[in-house]
Amino acid sequence: MEAKINEIFSSIQGEGPVVGYKQLFIRFCGCNLNCDYCDTEFLQGQIYTPQSLAEKIISEYNLETFHSISLTGGEPLLSAEFLAEFIPLVASKTKIYLETNATLSDKLLIVKKYIDIIAADIKLASATGKNTFAQHRKFLENCDGTETFAKIVFDENITQEEISQCASLGKEFGIELILQPKMGIDNKMSVSSEFCNQILDKLTDIYPNVRLIPQVHKFIDVR
Ligand code: SF4
């Protein structure tokens, strides 16, 4: 059993409710989606077995000092079988945080019992060019019993229908929604603060458990 890992690095989580915590990021190669705004470099990588990856991070990092290990990508659930072997080797040392595009609901079931926090993207067709709402609903059904929040990256094209769909997913699964303005190439928000406020108001009118958090790591200039 092997997986291709693009990079391993220590940094500060810049998104969502655990923003500001130190995490060890393990970025997996490959993704099942092809979002219009994707800027993630994940094609090049190094091959690991579950054992060699665990040995590497245990020998190079003091895992107890991290809030959690962030499994990211690409899409880490493409390597679900690998994760089911890898996570038990390190789970006694820190928490496991899964960053996922929330479309591979069957793969989630392979690793769910090892995951402490699920950061599930809800992708908007207006920002990604693809409509994946049906897949997100099925995925969130399978998150039941595990701490989960949903991140929604939006830009100026977000529609009222998308706002309503996000609110209904939040209500149905009782999860917190994190609105995240898409960033421009200059590492500034691609939408105005006024627009952010309008979208937050529209969403909280329907479902109040929502926060707006920009990508903080871009402001503090870390990865
Ligand atoms: S899900 Fe994430 S990694 Fe995959 S294409 Fe979309 S933005 Fe890129």
Side-chain angles (χ1 to χ4, degrees):
M1 174 96 47
E2 292 178 334
K4 195 170 170 188
I5 306 296
N6 172 262
E7 58 179 348
I8 301 168
F9 60 97
S10 164
S11 191
I12 300 166
Q13 175 57 251
E15 300 179 352
V18 305
V19 65
Y21 280 115
K22 186 172 84 162
Q23 287 187 322
L24 184 66
F25 291 81
I26 301 179
R27 185 182 306 287
F28 286 74
C29 292
C31 187
N32 58 316
L33 297 184
N34 183 21
C35 303
D36 289 351
Y37 59 77
C38 185
D39 60 355
T40 310
E41 298 289 338
F42 52 69
L43 293 177
Q44 303 299 320
Q46 192 173 335
I47 300 292
Y48 289 91
T49 64
Q51 293 73 23
S52 66
L53 181 59
E55 280 162 20
K56 178 179 175 66
I57 65 170
I58 288 170
S59 65
E60 293 187 9
Y61 300 93
N62 182 359
L63 295 180
E64 279 96 349
T65 68
F66 289 84
H67 170 272
S68 46
I69 294 171
S70 176
L71 305 170
T72 189
E75 175 47 57
L77 286 179
L78 287 174
S79 304
E81 291 82 2
F82 175 95
L83 290 173
E85 282 193 28
F86 163 70
I87 298 173
L89 301 174
V90 297
S92 64
K93 299 185 180 298
T94 187
K95 290 201 281 276
I96 304 296
Y97 179 97
L98 173 68
E99 298 195 58
T100 173
N101 63 32
T103 56
L104 300 174
S105 46
D106 294 340
K107 295 282 191 184
L108 174 65
L109 295 179
I110 296 171
V111 294
K112 184 181 166 187
K113 65 181 174 188
Y114 306 117
I115 306 293
D116 296 292
I117 303 171
I118 301 173
D121 279 5
I122 295 178
K123 304 279 187 190
L124 304 182
S126 61
T128 65
K130 325 237 163 347
N131 189 334
T132 43
F133 260 98
Q135 289 160 274
H136 296 324
R137 170 165 278 109
K138 194 154 189 291
F139 187 90
L140 291 171
E141 271 173 23
N142 286 357
C143 292
D144 185 40
T146 302
E147 183 179 340
T148 301
F149 70 91
K151 183 184 81 185
I152 304 159
V153 177
F154 70 96
D155 62 16
E156 72 279 7
N157 298 312
I158 186 170
T159 66
Q160 184 59 50
E161 189 191 355
E162 289 174 329
I163 291 169
S164 303
Q165 284 178 316
C166 290
S168 70
L169 279 183
K171 261 187 207 168
E172 185 176 343
F173 298 103
I175 53 173
E176 184 172 44
L177 303 179
I178 306 294
L179 276 171
Q180 183 176 294
K182 190 165 103 179
M183 301 299 273
I185 43 173
D186 52 0
N187 276 350
K188 293 197 172 132
M189 295 196 303
S190 68
V191 290
S192 67
S193 305
E194 190 188 355
F195 187 78
C196 288
N197 270 315
Q198 287 170 5
I199 299 303
L200 185 61
D201 282 345
K202 285 183 182 177
L203 199 40
T204 51
D205 279 349
I206 318 173
Y207 181 65
N209 192 9
V210 185
R211 275 189 278 176
L212 189 140
I213 307 176
Q215 285 184 304
V216 172
H217 54 292
K218 302 225 166 149
F219 292 107
I220 56 178
D221 199 19
V222 295
R223 296 163 82 191

